[in-house]
Amino acid sequence: MRLRNLPILLAALGWAAGSSILFRGGTIIAFDKGTESLQVIRNGSVLVTDDRIVSVSGSAPRNIPAQTEVIDIAGKILAPGQVNTHLHGWQTAFKTLASNTSLVEYFSRYGEFAAAGLLTPEDVYIGELAGLFESLNGGVTTILDHAHHTWSNATAQAGLVASIDSGARVFWAYAFHNITTITPNFLVPEQLGNFRDLVKNAPLKGSPTEVGVAYDAFGPNPNVGEVNAIISLAKELNASVITTHSLQGAWGIDNSPENLNTLGILNISIPIVLSHASFLTATGAQLLRSTNQYISITPESEFHYGHTHPHSHLIQDQSSLGVDTHFTFSSDILTQTRLWLQSVRRRLYSEVLGRWEVPDNNPMSVNQAFLLATRHGGLALRRDDLGVIAPGAKADLVVWDAASSPAMLGWNDPVAAVVLHASVADVEAVLVDGRWKKRGGRLVGGVKIDYYGDVQKRFLASAKRIQNKLIETPSVFPRAGDVWAPSGFPVADALTVDTLRGPGDGYGETFLAAQ
Ligand SMILES: *[C@@H]1O[C@H](CO)[C@@H](O)[C@H](O)[C@H]1NC(C)=O
Ligand SMILES: *[C@@H]1O[C@H](CO)[C@@H](O)[C@H](O)[C@H]1NC(C)=O
Ligand SMILES: *[C@@H]1O[C@H](CO)[C@@H](O)[C@H](O)[C@H]1NC(C)=O
Ligand SMILES: *[C@@H]1O[C@H](CO)[C@@H](O)[C@H](O)[C@H]1NC(C)=O
Ligand SMILES: *[C@@H]1O[C@H](CO)[C@@H](O)[C@H](O)[C@H]1NC(C)=O
Ligand SMILES: *[C@@H]1O[C@H](CO)[C@@H](O)[C@H](O)[C@H]1NC(C)=O
Ligand SMILES: [Zn+2]
């Protein structure tokens, strides 16, 4: 073999010479692992080689590899990508259909069982992809997807392939559930085989996507044999995460830390993320601490549907942030961060004012909120290298255009600038694994996808068909006087507000038209 062919051979084998990017001259929101705290570096630089951060410094680094791409970020803020620990990416096509939905209606119309049969594998693929691009656009680089579009081998595969094709860092968690609302039925035993096949055959190598498991029947009344089959498969296939919806109280969809602990699966080496953890108990919180497992607080979802989160502010040392059903509200973690921060402040101020006293301190800092949105998401996945800017961490980065954003003009503290003043419009660039996903304010495609516009076209065709079908389907769900099946508690009406002077409340209609 002639030597001049060597680079071609190496490239063919995937051993291309490392590619480097140097960000310089901007403000870096870095992380100091020694002190476990944020560290702001002004006029700093970050060197990325391949998928990792090599150095973070206050001066230009020496030994910059040849052919390094140099990016001047003067006046801008370089921050870690946000981590979303709860999403159902496939649901994008329902966008705006459920602006005033309740959780009771959600289950009967948009949830995993109700929607079985409504989406083809192409609908799942393109909806998931559109949802993940939406996340990347907002500066979210890691997504834990509770993938309950597993209605057949084909729809399951479609969501996994979309995750890989997006180029985002997706922890794609296969949902095991009995689908009996369509023929053929798709039951857990067949899903175990399907999951095994997918993990073995999907092109996961070299992709930031990893697989996990989602399951919502850990308790009450678990099928112990089924739980053990799922957990041993998760262990055998080295699943990166296990996730479950946990809604205690009148909801009765417990999947509580106590339930998992009784099954002997809370204290395992696989990270477990409990989404919502509504009505978490004090005992449950202590179990999460002693087993180092995390919850995913999804503020906007928990407000919108009313799962609520009465105790989540007391367990923020084991909390991360998530989105949930992004078709009904924002998909970016920045919005969740701000909602959560201000709602915690309100709650803790109210306790003082409720005693007829006047608070003199602020109960939660933007620094803490920023860490929930980034570092804590990494910790929930037991990934020390995610959600931080530090040497050795994954190069999952966001450039906030703090230089020209009217909203951020005049900023001094970069953490406050991002948490309280920025919006998705200020996300200028996004990298995952050291690769550009958004640049100059525009999405630049994913794996095998050169142009976001093609995704938009395909998605709109799919969404139109799904939306038309739902618009012509009457909504039937449990109403006041009925019993809520999971718990046996009564269903009741919430008080609605009155926004009109005089008679009538102005509730109005939702503006949906078949197209
Ligand atoms: C930033 O640092 C570089 C050297 O690393 C220096 O040349 C430049 O003047 C500094 N800029 C500011 C605004 O301090
Ligand atoms: C699925 O169905 C099987 C067989 O009917 C049952 O034993 C199992 O508990 C069900 N699992 C769930 C999560 O509903
Ligand atoms: C789905 O995949 C599983 C595992 O390979 C297999 O046993 C099952 O027959 C497949 N189902 C269909 C309908 O092809
Ligand atoms: C899981 O990890 C173990 C240990 O790292 C390895 O031996 C095994 O091959 C892995 N299994 C799969 C399915 O990747
Ligand atoms: C989990 O395991 C750790 C280490 O083995 C132990 O310290 C802790 O008490 C265990 N927690 C529970 C709830 O079993
Ligand atoms: C949402 O509003 C529509 C009126 O536009 C009403 O028919 C529907 O019942 C409302 N949904 C819920 C869950 O309250
Ligand atoms: Zn959810």
Side-chain angles (χ1 to χ4, degrees), residues 188-426:
V188 173
E190 189 177 352
Q191 290 161 16
L192 290 166
N194 178 218
F195 183 57
R196 186 192 294 277
D197 281 357
L198 286 176
V199 173
K200 291 215 167 118
N201 300 324
L204 289 159
K205 224 180 188 132
S207 158
T209 288
E210 301 185 25
V211 294
V213 160
Y215 187 67
D216 286 346
F218 290 113
N221 309 316
N223 176 335
V224 176
E226 184 174 276
V227 169
N228 288 338
I230 291 168
I231 299 303
S232 45
L233 186 62
K235 287 179 179 165
E236 178 197 326
L237 299 177
N238 300 330
S240 298
V241 65
I242 295 168
T243 190
T244 187
H245 285 110
S246 179
L247 282 75
Q248 302 186 66
W251 294 111
I253 307 167
D254 292 7
N255 298 302
S256 64
E258 291 93 322
N259 292 151
L260 277 93
N261 194 47
T262 304
L263 289 162
I265 53 172
L266 194 62
N267 217 8
I268 59 176
S269 60
I270 305 177
I272 298 175
V273 176
L274 285 80
S275 49
H276 315 306
S278 301
F279 300 92
L280 180 75
T281 65
T283 305
Q286 288 302 63
L287 281 171
L288 293 177
R289 290 189 172 108
S290 77
T291 55
N292 192 24
Q293 304 292 13
Y294 279 68
I295 70 170
S296 175
I297 302 169
T298 64
E300 199 165 4
S301 155
E302 290 154 17
F303 292 143
H304 177 107
Y305 293 110
H307 328 48
T308 75
H309 32 236
H311 299 109
S312 300
H313 62 293
L314 299 173
I315 177 97
Q316 296 200 61
D317 49 331
Q318 299 290 148
S319 291
S320 59
L321 294 176
V323 167
D324 201 12
T325 63
H326 66 297
F327 68 97
T328 30
F329 35 70
S330 337
S331 56
D332 63 295
I333 287 294
L334 174 62
T335 301
Q336 306 309 322
T337 307
R338 197 173 295 162
L339 284 169
W340 180 244
L341 171 66
Q342 304 295 27
S343 68
V344 169
R345 287 172 167 178
R346 175 192 182 278
R347 179 192 294 273
L348 296 177
Y349 282 141
S350 305
E351 291 181 5
V352 180
L353 286 153
R355 298 194 299 264
W356 289 5
E357 293 170 350
V358 175
D360 70 346
N361 63 326
N362 194 315
M364 183 171 169
S365 69
V366 294
N367 194 316
Q368 291 172 316
F370 187 92
L371 286 168
L372 281 183
T374 53
R375 164 77 165 165
H376 276 225
L379 292 177
L381 297 160
R382 300 218 177 130
R383 288 289 298 265
D384 202 38
D385 62 343
L386 298 182
V388 292
I389 295 185
K394 283 285 191 180
D396 295 357
L397 301 167
V398 175
V399 178
W400 295 93
D401 184 10
S404 61
S405 158
M408 299 170 84
L409 187 69
W411 67 274
N412 188 330
D413 178 337
V415 178
V418 170
V419 172
L420 296 176
H421 298 277
S423 72
V424 167
D426 305 318

Side-chain angles (χ1 to χ4, degrees), residues 49-190:
T49 295
D50 295 331
D51 59 328
R52 299 268 172 192
I53 294 168
V54 176
S55 67
V56 182
S57 58
S59 53
R62 275 168 272 168
N63 307 325
I64 297 166
Q67 278 159 22
T68 294
E69 183 180 10
V70 178
I71 310 291
D72 184 353
I73 51 165
K76 301 177 184 177
I77 297 169
L78 186 69
Q82 301 147 36
V83 180
N84 172 1
T85 53
H86 189 64
L87 182 74
H88 309 292
W90 63 269
Q91 293 178 324
T92 317
F94 300 153
K95 194 166 287 178
T96 73
L97 256 56
S99 58
N100 68 333
T101 198
S102 62
L103 195 54
V104 168
E105 184 188 31
Y106 168 89
F107 283 119
S108 72
R109 196 165 166 84
Y110 308 104
E112 62 200 281
F113 301 106
L118 183 59
L119 282 81
T120 64
E122 158 70 6
D123 293 326
V124 171
Y125 175 84
I126 203 67
E128 180 84 38
L129 197 55
L132 292 171
F133 276 128
E134 184 182 336
S135 301
L136 287 168
N137 184 57
V140 177
T141 50
T142 295
I143 298 113
L144 169 49
D145 195 321
H146 183 129
H148 50 20
H149 56 76
T150 46
W151 304 300
S152 68
N153 291 353
T155 62
Q157 181 177 27
L160 175 55
V161 174
S163 301
I164 296 169
D165 287 357
S166 73
R169 188 176 304 287
V170 183
F171 286 74
W172 182 80
Y174 188 115
F176 291 93
H177 50 188
N178 289 324
I179 298 297
T180 54
T181 41
I182 50 168
T183 352
N185 288 180
F186 192 52
L187 308 178
V188 173
E190 189 177 352

